[in-house]
Amino acid sequence: MHVVPVPVLSDNYAYIVYTEGSKDALLIDPAVPEDVLAVVSQHGLNPKMILTTHKHLDHSGGNTALKQQFPHLEVVGSEEDAIAAVTRQVHGGESFEACGVRIQVISTPCHTRGHVLYLLHDTSMPEDPAVVFTGDTVFIGGCGRFFEGSAAEMYSNFMEKFRSLARNTLVYCGHEYTLNNLLFAVTVDPDNEDLRTKLAWAERQRTSNEPTVPSTVAEEMSYNPFMRVHETALQEATGKHDPIEVLAELRKMKDNWGIGSRSNLSSKRP
């Protein structure tokens, strides 16, 4: 399975997915059609389906124009979100195949009520790692904002759903927030060597204008503070002991981190 990240807008990623020997392509959150289609054309691919992680326009905003340009396109999105141009509504636990890929839908309500992850397996290469597109729920080293949900829901998303995936699953998130996330993470988990190693790598990547996707589930478990809420270091940093309360406090701390300082690297403050 080939995954091509396409930077769009200020810090979003859309993705193009296709399998070896096929020209049929899946488009994930293609918010800026012209940018995505330029890469589709470079690879000689045929768009067949859009997978939309959630309703926010920086993820779903390209659906209508693409559907108009390619009437055959199937546009997939959660039945819980009001997503433009959707032709197939899906729910958590659903599974289907397209473009040589088996697609599993994982419901992760919190950032929006209908946010979903898409877990993809190449049906012709079952030994290859799975790939998960996490939208604005799981970021590299970070966590989406709780716009329409609670810390308890995000805890379930991280610790029960995401954490249950195979450790070598490749993680492709919806934004290039990695450096910002890791700079915050090191303030609450300063003795984590895995975190410091990842931060140094991310700094080199961004200095070279290279993406930081993908990570893996195993990596996120080692340095993402929102997945380490049972660890003593994070409990001490937040002053909480209940894991859900630790998660809620971490999100509050991240919301306020860097305000008025140059450490706030993203205008949208992930």
Side-chain angles (χ1 to χ4, degrees):
M1 187 183 343
H2 300 276
V3 179
V4 183
V6 183
V8 297
L9 303 172
S10 63
D11 52 31
N12 279 72
Y13 283 120
Y15 296 98
I16 301 166
V17 177
Y18 63 100
T19 57
E20 194 69 35
S22 174
K23 294 297 184 181
D24 293 339
L26 301 167
L27 310 180
I28 292 85
D29 289 350
V32 183
E34 56 268 31
D35 292 352
V36 175
L37 292 178
V39 180
V40 166
S41 179
Q42 290 170 12
H43 288 79
L45 301 172
N46 305 309
K48 292 293 184 181
M49 178 180 285
I50 294 173
L51 300 176
T52 312
T53 59
H54 64 292
K55 66 185 178 183
H56 291 158
L57 291 179
D58 60 328
H59 296 261
S60 67
N63 289 2
T64 298
L66 285 164
K67 179 63 176 172
Q68 290 171 348
Q69 186 168 350
F70 301 96
H72 67 278
L73 265 183
E74 191 163 18
V75 182
V76 177
S78 169
E79 61 189 7
E80 299 291 331
D81 262 4
I83 297 172
V86 163
T87 61
R88 178 172 185 167
Q89 292 186 323
V90 293
H91 58 269
E94 188 170 344
S95 180
F96 55 95
E97 291 191 13
C99 302
V101 173
R102 180 162 58 90
I103 302 163
Q104 294 174 259
V105 181
I106 303 171
S107 175
T108 54
C110 188
H111 187 71
T112 69
R113 293 314 305 159
H115 196 296
V116 298
L117 315 186
Y118 295 102
L119 180 66
L120 275 57
H121 301 262
D122 188 334
T123 56
S124 66
M125 303 287 285
E127 69 280 5
D128 283 1
V131 170
V132 64
F133 295 96
T134 60
D136 285 4
T137 291
V138 180
F139 295 121
I140 297 179
C143 169
R145 288 174 178 259
F146 307 169
F147 288 134
E148 298 181 6
S150 66
E153 287 176 312
M154 194 61 87
Y155 178 86
S156 175
N157 294 338
F158 268 70
M159 303 305 292
E160 297 170 6
K161 298 174 183 178
F162 182 81
R163 193 183 177 97
S164 72
L165 303 179
R167 298 295 188 259
N168 65 346
T169 301
L170 299 173
V171 180
Y172 289 91
C173 57
H175 290 267
E176 184 54 72
Y177 288 161
T178 303
L179 193 51
N180 185 295
N181 288 337
L182 297 178
L183 285 168
F184 166 74
V186 81
T187 69
V188 294
D189 199 6
D191 297 325
N192 186 329
E193 289 303 319
D194 290 332
L195 170 57
R196 289 191 173 276
T197 298
K198 185 70 173 184
L199 173 58
W201 174 85
E203 288 174 331
R204 293 193 298 272
Q205 288 294 103
R206 297 312 297 153
T207 297
S208 302
N209 200 32
E210 294 292 332
T212 60
V213 290
S215 66
T216 67
V217 170
E219 287 183 41
E220 295 304 316
M221 289 170 60
S222 74
Y223 56 65
N224 189 323
F226 297 93
M227 291 197 69
R228 292 171 49 78
V229 293
H230 294 270
E231 299 293 328
T232 300
L234 279 304
Q235 294 175 353
E236 291 178 348
T238 59
K240 307 291 183 182
H241 294 282
D242 178 83
I244 294 174
E245 292 181 1
V246 173
L247 182 61
E249 187 63 23
L250 280 173
R251 184 62 261 182
K252 187 185 302 183
M253 292 168 70
K254 181 62 168 67
D255 289 345
N256 295 321
W257 177 77
I259 293 177
S261 79
R262 294 185 64 183
S263 60
N264 178 23
L265 301 181
S266 170
S267 62
K268 292 196 286 185
R269 295 181 51 245

